[in-house]
Amino acid sequence: MDYYIFHKGKILMKKQENGTYTIPDNDCSLASENVITVKTEDNGELKAFRTTDEMVRECLEWCDLRQSYYHLSEQQYKMAGKCSELLHWDEMTKYCGRCGHENEWHTNISKKCPNCGKEIWPSPAPAVIVLIHKGKDEVLLVHARNFKRNFFGLVAGFIETGETIEEAVRREVKEETGLTIENITYFGSQPWPYPLGLMIGFNADYVEGEIKLQYEELEKGQWFHRDHLPTLPEKLSIARRLIDAWLDVTP
């Protein structure tokens, strides 16, 4: 059985003889609390938990969860994100929001209060992210204040209660850049387990307006030509997938 083990934002990986990495297939004798069972796509099971132990045996090493994208298989990386999200949700939902009684696991993805019967499920926070086109050769790229590295990404933000996804795209673009857009088209989505998000990607066309950045959110932002792009987001993100798909289209 595979064990997805986490410590301070890192996941434990096992180095194989051929130099590749995988997930450990035992609990590695690390101290753990609140071990949870997670169902896999093929109806199998795995275990996941957080540990306070840092020292691990030979052939095992810690890796930042985001960077594990470059070492694990796509299936293992996605499952690592799911396990991380469920562990975070478990920690945040110890007690019933209605009566305050301690919750109990009801299924592999739900809890139920034994006192009042209230059931709860994980609720990912949906956010929109959009690549704005100006003609065939230019796109708007921004550097947000919360970016930890010096790269340019896309306008993004959480969906608010009472609005459609398309309304959220228009609002975020207007609030953060002052621009008006049209032709909003769906691109794809991506779980974003940092800690519990769902990114919904779009393309859109610029209509009018001058760039007026919301400096509480964005530090930099401008139009970039496809032949002169800045440092881009890492390939693990849907932002990079949006940009790469645009670059693959012949002008």
Side-chain angles (χ1 to χ4, degrees):
M1 178 179 289
D2 288 343
Y3 281 78
Y4 285 72
I5 305 171
F6 301 87
H7 174 72
K8 295 182 178 179
K10 297 181 179 181
I11 185 170
L12 192 62
M13 302 190 308
K14 178 181 179 180
K15 191 172 185 178
Q16 303 181 101
E17 292 184 358
N18 62 3
T20 62
Y21 288 86
T22 188
I23 295 296
D25 55 6
N26 60 60
D27 64 6
C28 309
S29 300
L30 294 172
S32 61
E33 294 182 2
N34 302 327
V35 178
I36 64 173
T37 300
V38 181
K39 287 283 188 181
T40 62
E41 292 182 355
D42 58 1
N43 291 320
E45 291 185 347
L46 56 86
K47 299 291 185 180
F49 64 85
R50 298 191 192 280
T51 181
T52 57
D53 291 353
E54 294 186 66
M55 299 300 294
V56 294
R57 68 173 186 262
E58 189 177 356
C59 296
L60 298 176
E61 59 186 80
W62 295 107
C63 178
D64 179 82
L65 179 57
R66 298 191 191 206
Q67 294 304 307
S68 70
Y69 169 85
Y70 300 102
H71 302 287
L72 299 174
S73 68
E74 181 179 1
Q75 182 180 7
Q76 288 177 328
Y77 170 74
K78 289 176 64 177
M79 186 56 68
K82 180 176 181 177
C83 290
S84 178
E85 289 183 314
L86 284 172
L87 287 168
H88 174 79
W89 178 75
D90 180 41
E91 293 172 356
M92 296 296 105
T93 56
K94 294 297 183 186
Y95 301 97
C96 176
R98 177 187 289 163
C99 71
H101 195 281
E102 188 169 355
N103 283 316
E104 295 180 354
W105 281 93
H106 183 54
T107 70
N108 290 116
I109 56 168
S110 69
K111 289 185 178 183
K112 186 174 183 179
C113 174
N115 184 55
C116 70
K118 179 179 174 61
E119 294 185 63
I120 57 172
W121 291 264
S123 300
V128 295
I129 184 166
V130 55
L131 180 64
I132 304 170
H133 306 254
K134 187 178 183 182
K136 294 182 178 180
D137 294 327
E138 290 186 298
V139 290
L140 179 69
L141 301 178
V142 298
H143 179 82
R145 292 190 177 277
N146 63 355
F147 287 176
K148 295 181 179 180
R149 298 178 183 176
N150 188 30
F151 65 87
F152 280 73
L154 307 181
V155 174
F158 290 103
I159 299 172
E160 295 183 356
T161 301
E163 67 181 356
T164 67
I165 299 175
E166 293 80 6
E167 288 170 344
V169 174
R170 294 188 186 92
R171 175 183 53 76
E172 284 293 339
V173 171
K174 193 68 174 179
E175 287 179 354
E176 295 191 5
T177 69
L179 302 180
T180 301
I181 58 174
E182 64 179 3
N183 299 329
I184 299 171
T185 56
Y186 175 73
F187 173 80
S189 62
Q190 176 186 41
W192 196 245
Y194 309 109
L196 226 161
L198 175 65
M199 303 300 297
I200 308 169
F202 293 88
N203 285 282
D205 293 331
Y206 164 78
V207 176
E208 62 181 3
E210 298 293 327
I211 298 176
K212 297 179 181 179
L213 298 180
Q214 185 183 45
Y215 284 104
E216 295 84 359
E217 299 285 341
L218 303 179
E219 191 173 33
K220 303 173 186 176
Q222 66 184 76
W223 297 106
F224 287 92
H225 192 278
R226 65 170 60 240
D227 295 331
H228 299 90
L229 294 175
T231 302
L232 300 176
E234 293 189 56
K235 287 186 176 295
L236 65 92
S237 68
I238 193 170
R240 181 60 178 269
R241 286 169 47 199
L242 275 156
I243 296 169
D244 285 347
W246 170 68
L247 287 172
D248 286 342
V249 176
T250 303

